[in-house]
Amino acid sequence: MRKVDFIVSADAILTANSQQPFIEKGAVAVQGSKIVGVETQGKILQQYESKKIFSLGDSLLTPGLINTHAHLPMSLLRGIANDLSLDEWLTKHIFPKERQNCSKEFVRLGTELALSELLLSGVTTVCDMYFFEDDIAEVCEEMGMRSVLGQSLFSGEAPDQASFEEGFHRAERFISRWKGHELVSPALAPHAPYSVDPDQFRRCAELAKDSSVLLMSHILETKTEDSHFQKRYGMSVTEMLEDSGCFEVPFLMAHFVWPNDSDLKRVTKNVAIAHCPQSNLKLADGFCPVQRLHDCELTVGLGTDGPASNNDFDFFAEIQTAALIQKAITENPESLKANKVFEMATLDGAKALALQDKVGSLQVGKCADIIAISRDGLHHWPHHDVYAEFTYATKASDVTHVWVNGELLVENKKLTRVDQKDLRTRVKNFSIR
Ligand SMILES: [Zn+2]
């Protein structure tokens, strides 16, 4: 019998591993940060022993969920401007608020609030792009969250940069500080083609290539973005991205709501998409053609975007919205079947962040990022189809346990490293001008 740090067992496991996708009465054995066994309870208990056994009974174990696009500190701007178009929301409300309020303290508290909410909804990896990314990384490290963090860059002034040049050097320092960290993967995030110049995109692509980090940006979020860009630069957004080398490196495009046929022909297999259905709906951006992207064999993960345009980090709400709107816009109920949406929330999210060797499925050798979902609620009964149960019926509040890298961060629906009452008080007392 091999001794392990802990064993977690449950009536059902969805692994996201195509070799063994579903295990009835299954268990996962974990040693250190790694999964060492995923099998039926009988087989695991024959091979492994542990002083710590979580026998969760009628629960569903899945890989931790992967949020491929967020702006964590914007949790403090939740509810500040609503029912507006992206342009008006961003330029008249969000950018001015950020200029007034965005500081290291703002970013740290907002990140703590965001990560707490994400963990409670079963998210174990989050991809962020914002300002003062060093501070965000420190909070992610303290709270034990796996993260891919892109220092945001703008063509001119931003809350943490007087110029693009200053921001670029900040990004270089950020990448060299965090490169190789166990939980935090540094990345580079030129904000969008309407806020970063083409030659600056080229420099970002070069830096991403030289330092082997993920490049990410907001691309074709609104209907008018491409025509405005063409008027200004005489080429389309994807022509600029191709020309500047962005498609030669792993490149995560948030939104990609309005690609045309030539955009879809131009993108390469290096590209993945962070689909943020609730943010797209709230800002009336349009509908991302996820089924078409899948037909082009592109990887699509799910994202919440910032909570100021959502307005929460409820990842199961995102999962359900993604599934339902795709069926409606394609007028095809077979679009985004329940098992595919489960994959988008787990393994495809990991692929989009270039983390598929580490996370995204419950498999021996991968990191122990695991969540447990209680099936006690009447909305889980009866258990006819476990993928349909996960995609269409599960709520964030059903998540009872969350492990990241083998660390228990949520136990019986309570955060283990954060006092929620104290956090609420600190958020309440933080003044937003
Ligand atoms: Zn965004």
Side-chain angles (χ1 to χ4, degrees):
M1 292 279 266
R2 182 176 161 192
K3 284 201 169 88
V4 290
D5 287 336
F6 69 90
I7 294 169
V8 51
S9 68
D11 282 2
I13 303 184
L14 282 178
T15 66
N17 170 10
S18 57
Q19 307 293 313
Q20 186 190 27
F22 174 72
I23 305 170
E24 197 175 350
K25 300 226 175 283
V28 182
V30 176
Q31 178 63 31
S33 61
K34 294 279 163 50
I35 294 172
V36 293
V38 188
E39 257 304 344
T40 57
Q41 290 166 17
K43 284 187 182 165
I44 289 289
L45 295 173
Q46 273 169 12
Q47 294 173 60
Y48 301 98
E49 61 178 349
S50 179
K51 284 184 186 149
K52 219 183 274 176
I53 296 185
F54 298 86
S55 300
L56 300 180
D58 196 18
S59 290
L60 171 64
L61 299 184
T62 74
L65 308 180
I66 297 186
N67 184 348
T68 59
H69 184 66
H71 309 287
L72 299 169
M74 289 180 87
S75 58
L76 292 181
L77 300 179
R78 190 193 323 256
I80 229 151
N82 301 282
D83 310 322
L84 299 164
S85 71
L86 174 72
D87 186 46
E88 195 178 351
W89 175 78
L90 206 52
T91 56
K92 293 197 178 142
H93 299 271
I94 296 300
F95 286 161
K97 280 284 172 204
E98 286 178 334
R99 272 196 292 275
Q100 272 184 306
N101 292 284
C102 192
S103 62
K104 281 171 176 282
E105 295 70 32
F106 171 93
V107 157
R108 294 185 85 96
L109 182 61
T111 300
E112 191 183 343
L113 176 62
L115 295 183
S116 298
E117 194 185 346
L118 284 167
L119 284 168
L120 289 167
S121 96
V123 171
T124 55
T125 299
V126 65
C127 178
D128 178 78
M129 50 197 283
Y130 209 63
F131 312 107
F132 299 106
E133 209 64 44
D134 246 330
D135 292 270
I136 294 175
E138 285 175 12
V139 177
C140 288
E141 185 184 39
E142 282 159 25
M143 288 184 64
M145 180 65 119
R146 194 177 303 284
S147 56
V148 177
L149 307 177
Q151 171 67 38
S152 276
L153 292 168
F154 281 76
S155 62
E157 207 183 329
D160 62 350
Q161 62 181 61
S163 64
F164 174 82
E165 214 53 46
E166 191 187 320
F168 192 78
H169 292 309
R170 180 186 280 271
E172 286 178 314
R173 288 195 302 276
F174 173 72
I175 290 168
S176 57
R177 176 176 172 193
W178 294 96
K179 193 87 177 90
H181 190 278
E182 198 174 4
L183 285 174
V184 176
S185 304
L188 193 60
H191 176 259
Y194 56 82
S195 52
V196 175
D197 298 338
D199 60 317
Q200 295 168 339
F201 262 96
R202 183 186 303 280
R203 289 185 60 196
C204 289
E206 283 166 5
L207 177 57
K209 193 174 188 178
D210 292 346
S211 44
S212 305
V213 298
L214 186 69
L215 185 67
M216 59 178 98
S217 186
H218 296 94
I219 302 296
L220 301 183
E221 182 172 356
T222 60
K223 197 175 186 176
T224 53
E225 182 179 323
D226 204 44
S227 57
H228 287 166
F229 188 88
Q230 294 208 30
K231 251 184 228 160
R232 193 168 161 194
Y233 294 109
M235 59 178 148
S236 74
V237 165
T238 56
E239 279 172 331
M240 179 279 285
L241 293 170
E242 181 182 45
D243 185 56
S244 57
C246 292
F247 295 156
E248 290 161 33
V249 294
F251 183 40
L252 179 64
M253 306 197 295
H255 306 304
F256 209 48
V257 174
W258 291 99
N260 59 30
D261 290 346
S262 32
D263 296 321
L264 290 173
K265 278 195 195 117
R266 204 165 283 125
V267 295
T268 65
K269 293 286 176 287
N270 286 328
V271 164
I273 290 91
H275 173 41
C276 307
Q278 293 208 335
S279 174
N280 294 161
L281 287 172
K282 185 162 182 268
L283 295 166
D285 289 336
F287 304 100
C288 175
V290 176
Q291 188 57 55
R292 278 191 77 198
L293 302 179
H294 281 158
D295 294 343
C296 297
E297 295 178 11
L298 291 167
T299 300
V300 185
L302 294 175
T304 52
D305 210 350
S309 63
N310 189 307
N311 286 358
D312 59 30
F313 280 126
D314 181 336
F315 208 68
F316 280 94
E318 218 64 53
I319 286 167
Q320 282 149 27
T321 307
L324 299 178
I325 60 170
Q326 208 56 215
K327 294 171 197 305
I329 64 165
T330 57
E331 298 180 38
N332 178 4
E334 292 189 19
S335 282
L336 295 202
K337 289 181 179 172
N339 60 332
K340 184 59 193 171
V341 184
F342 166 72
E343 205 172 288
M344 289 170 72
T346 54
L347 190 58
D348 287 357
K351 287 179 187 164
L353 301 180
L355 287 178
Q356 69 271 29
D357 294 339
K358 277 185 155 183
V359 294
S361 57
L362 300 181
Q363 250 174 292
V364 171
K366 283 204 179 181
C367 298
D369 290 14
I370 308 164
I371 66 169
I373 295 162
S374 165
R375 305 166 99 187
D376 269 355
L378 294 178
H379 53 283
H380 283 274
W381 285 89
H383 309 329
H384 282 308
D385 179 325
V386 71
Y387 287 109
E389 184 184 343
F390 174 91
T391 296
Y392 301 123
T394 300
K395 301 173 192 311
S397 54
D398 298 334
V399 174
T400 58
H401 293 68
V402 176
W403 289 266
V404 179
N405 221 31
E407 296 286 332
L408 182 60
L409 300 184
V410 175
E411 183 170 22
N412 293 319
K413 303 191 181 187
K414 293 269 184 297
L415 295 160
T416 59
R417 295 190 182 183
V418 176
D419 178 338
Q420 271 172 251
K421 200 174 158 201
D422 170 66
L423 174 60
R424 255 197 307 269
T425 306
R426 284 184 287 130
V427 169
K428 193 177 159 192
N429 294 338
F430 191 87
S431 71
I432 302 284
R433 286 173 286 154

